[in-house]
Amino acid sequence: MADCPVHPGEPAIGACARCGRFFCAKERILLDAKPYCGDCGARPDVDWLGHHYRALEGTRSGVAWAMGLFGLGLVLGGLTLVFTSLEHWKGAVAGFGLFLFGASAATTFVGRRALRPAMFVGAALASGAFAISAQEWVALVPAVILFLVAGAVWTDVRTRLFFRVPVPRAELLKHFHREGSNPLAITASRLAFFSLLIPGLSVLSLVLGVVALTKVNSKATPPVGNVSAALGAIIFSLFTTLIWAGWLSARL
Ligand SMILES: [Zn+2]
Ligand SMILES: [Zn+2]
């Protein structure tokens, strides 16, 4: 084969799936089993998945916000427990454990890669404090919960992007189909859930669910999916509307 037209001296190893030009090994980009030249592989319409997620790198995830607030709450709660149970050392030790875990959870908000394992250290120290203060197998329950929380934060895709930890493309694609695609459908399904608690909300979630369903297009770039979330929102909204209508008619 001839030389690469863009990189003289580099042998061409194939042709681009989009524009057809020859590319060399230096620039070849493989996306979803198709080879592209360096120019096409960088286009947002070709690598829409990469573009979608690169924009989220370094931006704080919902989990990071939640851990910041939850951690702060545990720090304050733990300190309160320490200072109100100074005479009962067991309570004070448990409070210190909560304080340590809270402080480690709050570091998620900062997004520094070096601090990422802190939550596991916090969970281990807090578990030790619980074991000392309770000295019973019951102390295992909060310890297991803390490790589950730490594990969930560690594996969360959006939080890994916030920490600028590389996420494999296959995992990004899975995440996109679950949460990135058709955000209206996801909003509708969340509102539908809350419509069980708030009367009238089901009308909004029903309309949003229907609009989200009309947006579904698997051929678009990027594809718009989440049919199940949109359908779920519609069905659940109808269900809560019936419940609230029944409640209202019983009162009139
Ligand atoms: Zn090309
Ligand atoms: Zn080249």
Side-chain angles (χ1 to χ4, degrees):
M1 221 179 253
D3 270 8
C4 170
V6 179
H7 303 98
E10 296 281 338
I13 57 161
C16 175
R18 184 181 167 274
C19 70
R21 93 154 157 82
F22 289 128
F23 55 73
C24 61
K26 246 164 93 175
E27 57 174 327
R28 173 177 176 266
I29 298 174
L30 195 69
L31 296 172
D32 306 322
K34 281 185 201 155
Y36 294 97
C37 71
D39 300 323
C40 291
R43 289 174 59 101
D45 55 332
V46 173
D47 186 16
W48 54 267
L49 189 70
H51 273 257
H52 179 80
Y53 282 100
R54 266 193 296 279
L56 295 173
E57 277 172 14
T59 61
R60 194 163 281 120
S61 63
V63 168
W65 274 100
M67 283 303 120
L69 293 171
F70 168 70
L72 188 67
L74 281 188
V75 163
L76 296 177
L79 283 179
T80 309
L81 199 58
V82 168
F83 288 110
T84 53
S85 51
L86 282 178
E87 270 109 86
H88 316 279
W89 68 271
K90 286 182 176 180
V93 169
F96 188 57
L98 283 183
F99 165 80
L100 289 175
F101 184 73
S104 71
T107 63
T108 311
F109 186 80
V110 185
R112 293 290 290 271
R113 201 150 357 153
L115 290 176
R116 213 173 154 235
M119 256 179 108
F120 289 103
V121 179
L125 293 174
S127 303
F130 295 157
I132 291 169
S133 74
Q135 292 170 344
E136 276 175 74
W137 68 269
V138 189
L140 277 173
V141 176
V144 168
I145 293 172
L146 297 191
F147 275 101
L148 285 178
V149 171
V153 172
W154 181 268
T155 51
D156 180 58
V157 168
R158 277 285 285 106
T159 305
R160 275 148 77 195
L161 292 170
F162 171 47
F163 278 86
R164 297 182 189 279
V165 174
V167 180
R169 198 175 159 83
E171 216 176 324
L172 289 181
L173 195 64
K174 237 163 95 185
H175 185 265
F176 180 80
H177 287 307
R178 199 173 60 237
E179 285 172 46
S181 165
N182 206 348
L184 197 62
I186 295 156
T187 305
S189 65
R190 283 188 189 145
L191 286 180
F193 175 74
F194 285 110
S195 72
L196 197 59
L197 310 169
I198 305 163
L201 197 62
S202 58
V203 180
L204 181 65
S205 55
L206 181 65
V207 172
L208 290 184
V210 171
V211 175
L213 197 61
T214 64
K215 284 186 184 286
V216 169
N217 181 359
S218 58
K219 300 266 185 293
T221 308
V224 183
N226 262 323
V227 183
S228 54
L231 281 176
I234 294 168
I235 293 166
F236 200 73
S237 301
L238 289 171
F239 170 69
T240 55
T241 307
L242 279 178
I243 287 185
W244 281 110
W247 177 82
L248 202 66
S249 65
R251 301 220 143 209
L252 290 176

mmCIF file of all heavy atoms in Angstrom, residues 165-192:
data_model
loop_
_atom_site.group_PDB
_atom_site.id
_atom_site.type_symbol
_atom_site.label_atom_id
_atom_site.label_comp_id
_atom_site.label_asym_id
_atom_site.label_seq_id
_atom_site.Cartn_x
_atom_site.Cartn_y
_atom_site.Cartn_z
ATOM 1 N N VAL A 165 -10.992 9.881 35.520
ATOM 2 C CA VAL A 165 -10.509 8.496 35.437
ATOM 3 C C VAL A 165 -11.003 7.946 34.102
ATOM 4 O O VAL A 165 -12.187 8.082 33.789
ATOM 5 C CB VAL A 165 -11.088 7.651 36.601
ATOM 6 C CG1 VAL A 165 -10.719 6.190 36.451
ATOM 7 C CG2 VAL A 165 -10.598 8.197 37.936
ATOM 8 N N PRO A 166 -10.121 7.372 33.256
ATOM 9 C CA PRO A 166 -10.577 6.854 31.962
ATOM 10 C C PRO A 166 -11.648 5.771 32.137
ATOM 11 O O PRO A 166 -11.496 4.874 32.966
ATOM 12 C CB PRO A 166 -9.308 6.265 31.334
ATOM 13 C CG PRO A 166 -8.168 6.802 32.129
ATOM 14 C CD PRO A 166 -8.681 7.153 33.485
ATOM 15 N N VAL A 167 -12.733 5.887 31.370
ATOM 16 C CA VAL A 167 -13.817 4.907 31.419
ATOM 17 C C VAL A 167 -13.855 4.190 30.072
ATOM 18 O O VAL A 167 -13.871 4.852 29.032
ATOM 19 C CB VAL A 167 -15.176 5.603 31.696
ATOM 20 C CG1 VAL A 167 -16.305 4.586 31.757
ATOM 21 C CG2 VAL A 167 -15.114 6.417 32.976
ATOM 22 N N PRO A 168 -13.827 2.839 30.053
ATOM 23 C CA PRO A 168 -13.869 2.114 28.768
ATOM 24 C C PRO A 168 -15.110 2.474 27.953
ATOM 25 O O PRO A 168 -16.186 2.719 28.504
ATOM 26 C CB PRO A 168 -13.920 0.641 29.197
ATOM 27 C CG PRO A 168 -13.449 0.616 30.597
ATOM 28 C CD PRO A 168 -13.762 1.942 31.208
ATOM 29 N N ARG A 169 -14.915 2.516 26.639
ATOM 30 C CA ARG A 169 -15.975 2.934 25.724
ATOM 31 C C ARG A 169 -17.250 2.086 25.867
ATOM 32 O O ARG A 169 -18.360 2.614 25.815
ATOM 33 C CB ARG A 169 -15.437 2.846 24.292
ATOM 34 C CG ARG A 169 -16.233 3.629 23.304
ATOM 35 C CD ARG A 169 -15.581 3.602 21.942
ATOM 36 N NE ARG A 169 -16.582 3.929 20.950
ATOM 37 C CZ ARG A 169 -16.947 5.167 20.640
ATOM 38 N NH1 ARG A 169 -16.367 6.181 21.231
ATOM 39 N NH2 ARG A 169 -17.882 5.391 19.762
ATOM 40 N N ALA A 170 -17.076 0.778 26.064
ATOM 41 C CA ALA A 170 -18.241 -0.108 26.191
ATOM 42 C C ALA A 170 -19.091 0.307 27.400
ATOM 43 O O ALA A 170 -20.322 0.273 27.353
ATOM 44 C CB ALA A 170 -17.788 -1.554 26.335
ATOM 45 N N GLU A 171 -18.389 0.726 28.450
ATOM 46 C CA GLU A 171 -19.109 1.134 29.660
ATOM 47 C C GLU A 171 -19.813 2.474 29.449
ATOM 48 O O GLU A 171 -20.918 2.691 29.945
ATOM 49 C CB GLU A 171 -18.096 1.240 30.802
ATOM 50 C CG GLU A 171 -18.657 0.788 32.130
ATOM 51 C CD GLU A 171 -17.599 0.807 33.214
ATOM 52 O OE1 GLU A 171 -16.439 0.500 32.908
ATOM 53 O OE2 GLU A 171 -17.939 1.137 34.341
ATOM 54 N N LEU A 172 -19.167 3.370 28.690
ATOM 55 C CA LEU A 172 -19.786 4.669 28.375
ATOM 56 C C LEU A 172 -21.057 4.447 27.558
ATOM 57 O O LEU A 172 -22.080 5.099 27.786
ATOM 58 C CB LEU A 172 -18.823 5.548 27.581
ATOM 59 C CG LEU A 172 -17.624 6.116 28.333
ATOM 60 C CD1 LEU A 172 -16.786 6.985 27.397
ATOM 61 C CD2 LEU A 172 -18.062 6.922 29.547
ATOM 62 N N LEU A 173 -20.986 3.504 26.608
ATOM 63 C CA LEU A 173 -22.137 3.228 25.751
ATOM 64 C C LEU A 173 -23.312 2.709 26.582
ATOM 65 O O LEU A 173 -24.455 3.131 26.407
ATOM 66 C CB LEU A 173 -21.737 2.208 24.681
ATOM 67 C CG LEU A 173 -22.695 2.087 23.502
ATOM 68 C CD1 LEU A 173 -22.739 3.395 22.726
ATOM 69 C CD2 LEU A 173 -22.265 0.959 22.576
ATOM 70 N N LYS A 174 -23.004 1.823 27.526
ATOM 71 C CA LYS A 174 -24.033 1.277 28.408
ATOM 72 C C LYS A 174 -24.660 2.392 29.246
ATOM 73 O O LYS A 174 -25.884 2.476 29.385
ATOM 74 C CB LYS A 174 -23.390 0.223 29.339
ATOM 75 C CG LYS A 174 -24.035 -1.138 29.252
ATOM 76 C CD LYS A 174 -23.143 -2.191 29.831
ATOM 77 C CE LYS A 174 -23.469 -2.483 31.283
ATOM 78 N NZ LYS A 174 -22.482 -3.446 31.853
ATOM 79 N N HIS A 175 -23.786 3.250 29.777
ATOM 80 C CA HIS A 175 -24.250 4.372 30.600
ATOM 81 C C HIS A 175 -25.104 5.329 29.773
ATOM 82 O O HIS A 175 -26.121 5.833 30.238
ATOM 83 C CB HIS A 175 -23.046 5.110 31.191
ATOM 84 C CG HIS A 175 -23.425 6.200 32.142
ATOM 85 N ND1 HIS A 175 -23.544 7.521 31.757
ATOM 86 C CD2 HIS A 175 -23.728 6.168 33.466
ATOM 87 C CE1 HIS A 175 -23.899 8.245 32.812
ATOM 88 N NE2 HIS A 175 -24.018 7.453 33.855
ATOM 89 N N PHE A 176 -24.686 5.566 28.509
ATOM 90 C CA PHE A 176 -25.439 6.473 27.653
ATOM 91 C C PHE A 176 -26.853 5.944 27.424
ATOM 92 O O PHE A 176 -27.824 6.680 27.518
ATOM 93 C CB PHE A 176 -24.736 6.646 26.300
ATOM 94 C CG PHE A 176 -25.475 7.572 25.379
ATOM 95 C CD1 PHE A 176 -25.366 8.945 25.515
ATOM 96 C CD2 PHE A 176 -26.322 7.070 24.399
ATOM 97 C CE1 PHE A 176 -26.076 9.797 24.692
ATOM 98 C CE2 PHE A 176 -27.028 7.919 23.572
ATOM 99 C CZ PHE A 176 -26.907 9.290 23.723
ATOM 100 N N HIS A 177 -26.959 4.631 27.136
ATOM 101 C CA HIS A 177 -28.284 4.075 26.879
ATOM 102 C C HIS A 177 -29.155 4.071 28.125
ATOM 103 O O HIS A 177 -30.378 4.139 28.033
ATOM 104 C CB HIS A 177 -28.168 2.671 26.285
ATOM 105 C CG HIS A 177 -27.702 2.730 24.862
ATOM 106 N ND1 HIS A 177 -28.334 3.508 23.923
ATOM 107 C CD2 HIS A 177 -26.648 2.159 24.232
ATOM 108 C CE1 HIS A 177 -27.703 3.414 22.767
ATOM 109 N NE2 HIS A 177 -26.669 2.600 22.938
ATOM 110 N N ARG A 178 -28.515 4.019 29.284
ATOM 111 C CA ARG A 178 -29.284 4.000 30.521
ATOM 112 C C ARG A 178 -29.653 5.414 30.972
ATOM 113 O O ARG A 178 -30.773 5.663 31.374
ATOM 114 C CB ARG A 178 -28.471 3.284 31.603
ATOM 115 C CG ARG A 178 -29.292 2.795 32.779
ATOM 116 C CD ARG A 178 -28.460 1.950 33.726
ATOM 117 N NE ARG A 178 -27.341 2.700 34.262
ATOM 118 C CZ ARG A 178 -26.067 2.336 34.139
ATOM 119 N NH1 ARG A 178 -25.746 1.231 33.500
ATOM 120 N NH2 ARG A 178 -25.102 3.067 34.642
ATOM 121 N N GLU A 179 -28.680 6.367 30.889
ATOM 122 C CA GLU A 179 -28.915 7.675 31.505
ATOM 123 C C GLU A 179 -28.680 8.885 30.610
ATOM 124 O O GLU A 179 -29.209 9.956 30.880
ATOM 125 C CB GLU A 179 -28.027 7.818 32.754
ATOM 126 C CG GLU A 179 -28.563 7.009 33.915
ATOM 127 C CD GLU A 179 -27.599 6.987 35.082
ATOM 128 O OE1 GLU A 179 -27.087 8.054 35.431
ATOM 129 O OE2 GLU A 179 -27.364 5.896 35.619
ATOM 130 N N GLY A 180 -27.853 8.721 29.560
ATOM 131 C CA GLY A 180 -27.511 9.896 28.754
ATOM 132 C C GLY A 180 -28.480 10.129 27.617
ATOM 133 O O GLY A 180 -28.669 11.260 27.157
ATOM 134 N N SER A 181 -29.132 9.052 27.154
ATOM 135 C CA SER A 181 -29.996 9.137 25.994
ATOM 136 C C SER A 181 -31.412 9.530 26.404
ATOM 137 O O SER A 181 -31.946 8.994 27.372
ATOM 138 C CB SER A 181 -29.991 7.757 25.316
ATOM 139 O OG SER A 181 -31.028 7.647 24.404
ATOM 140 N N ASN A 182 -31.996 10.471 25.685
ATOM 141 C CA ASN A 182 -33.377 10.914 25.950
ATOM 142 C C ASN A 182 -33.593 11.343 27.415
ATOM 143 O O ASN A 182 -34.398 10.743 28.137
ATOM 144 C CB ASN A 182 -34.368 9.805 25.570
ATOM 145 C CG ASN A 182 -35.741 10.364 25.204
ATOM 146 O OD1 ASN A 182 -36.015 11.542 25.445
ATOM 147 N ND2 ASN A 182 -36.589 9.525 24.638
ATOM 148 N N PRO A 183 -32.890 12.380 27.851
ATOM 149 C CA PRO A 183 -33.015 12.805 29.258
ATOM 150 C C PRO A 183 -34.445 13.157 29.655
ATOM 151 O O PRO A 183 -34.802 13.037 30.828
ATOM 152 C CB PRO A 183 -32.095 14.033 29.358
ATOM 153 C CG PRO A 183 -31.722 14.392 27.969
ATOM 154 C CD PRO A 183 -31.908 13.186 27.117
ATOM 155 N N LEU A 184 -35.258 13.555 28.674
ATOM 156 C CA LEU A 184 -36.655 13.896 28.973
ATOM 157 C C LEU A 184 -37.405 12.671 29.509
ATOM 158 O O LEU A 184 -38.227 12.777 30.432
ATOM 159 C CB LEU A 184 -37.327 14.418 27.698
ATOM 160 C CG LEU A 184 -38.631 15.178 27.899
ATOM 161 C CD1 LEU A 184 -38.388 16.429 28.733
ATOM 162 C CD2 LEU A 184 -39.235 15.558 26.556
ATOM 163 N N ALA A 185 -37.101 11.495 28.932
ATOM 164 C CA ALA A 185 -37.755 10.255 29.381
ATOM 165 C C ALA A 185 -37.372 9.952 30.825
ATOM 166 O O ALA A 185 -38.206 9.502 31.621
ATOM 167 C CB ALA A 185 -37.349 9.094 28.472
ATOM 168 N N ILE A 186 -36.106 10.223 31.163
ATOM 169 C CA ILE A 186 -35.641 9.956 32.531
ATOM 170 C C ILE A 186 -36.293 10.931 33.503
ATOM 171 O O ILE A 186 -36.766 10.542 34.571
ATOM 172 C CB ILE A 186 -34.104 10.014 32.577
ATOM 173 C CG1 ILE A 186 -33.532 8.867 31.724
ATOM 174 C CG2 ILE A 186 -33.585 9.908 34.004
ATOM 175 C CD1 ILE A 186 -32.162 9.100 31.228
ATOM 176 N N THR A 187 -36.356 12.225 33.109
ATOM 177 C CA THR A 187 -37.034 13.227 33.946
ATOM 178 C C THR A 187 -38.488 12.820 34.149
ATOM 179 O O THR A 187 -39.006 12.877 35.275
ATOM 180 C CB THR A 187 -36.970 14.607 33.256
ATOM 181 O OG1 THR A 187 -35.610 14.895 32.980
ATOM 182 C CG2 THR A 187 -37.534 15.697 34.142
ATOM 183 N N ALA A 188 -39.159 12.407 33.057
ATOM 184 C CA ALA A 188 -40.572 12.014 33.138
ATOM 185 C C ALA A 188 -40.748 10.855 34.115
ATOM 186 O O ALA A 188 -41.676 10.854 34.931
ATOM 187 C CB ALA A 188 -41.085 11.633 31.746
ATOM 188 N N SER A 189 -39.847 9.863 34.054
ATOM 189 C CA SER A 189 -40.017 8.701 34.934
ATOM 190 C C SER A 189 -39.778 9.083 36.395
ATOM 191 O O SER A 189 -40.427 8.551 37.289
ATOM 192 C CB SER A 189 -39.101 7.555 34.490
ATOM 193 O OG SER A 189 -37.754 7.907 34.639
ATOM 194 N N ARG A 190 -38.832 10.037 36.630
ATOM 195 C CA ARG A 190 -38.613 10.482 38.015
ATOM 196 C C ARG A 190 -39.815 11.250 38.530
ATOM 197 O O ARG A 190 -40.271 11.042 39.664
ATOM 198 C CB ARG A 190 -37.362 11.353 38.091
ATOM 199 C CG ARG A 190 -36.140 10.466 38.038
ATOM 200 C CD ARG A 190 -34.852 11.201 38.286
ATOM 201 N NE ARG A 190 -33.761 10.278 37.985
ATOM 202 C CZ ARG A 190 -32.612 10.620 37.445
ATOM 203 N NH1 ARG A 190 -32.380 11.879 37.151
ATOM 204 N NH2 ARG A 190 -31.702 9.709 37.209
ATOM 205 N N LEU A 191 -40.362 12.151 37.686
ATOM 206 C CA LEU A 191 -41.544 12.925 38.099
ATOM 207 C C LEU A 191 -42.722 11.992 38.343
ATOM 208 O O LEU A 191 -43.498 12.194 39.280
ATOM 209 C CB LEU A 191 -41.901 13.963 37.034
ATOM 210 C CG LEU A 191 -40.986 15.180 36.946
ATOM 211 C CD1 LEU A 191 -41.463 16.106 35.841
ATOM 212 C CD2 LEU A 191 -40.940 15.933 38.263
ATOM 213 N N ALA A 192 -42.854 10.958 37.482
ATOM 214 C CA ALA A 192 -43.957 10.004 37.635
ATOM 215 C C ALA A 192 -43.888 9.333 38.993
ATOM 216 O O ALA A 192 -44.903 9.135 39.665
ATOM 217 C CB ALA A 192 -43.909 8.961 36.526
#
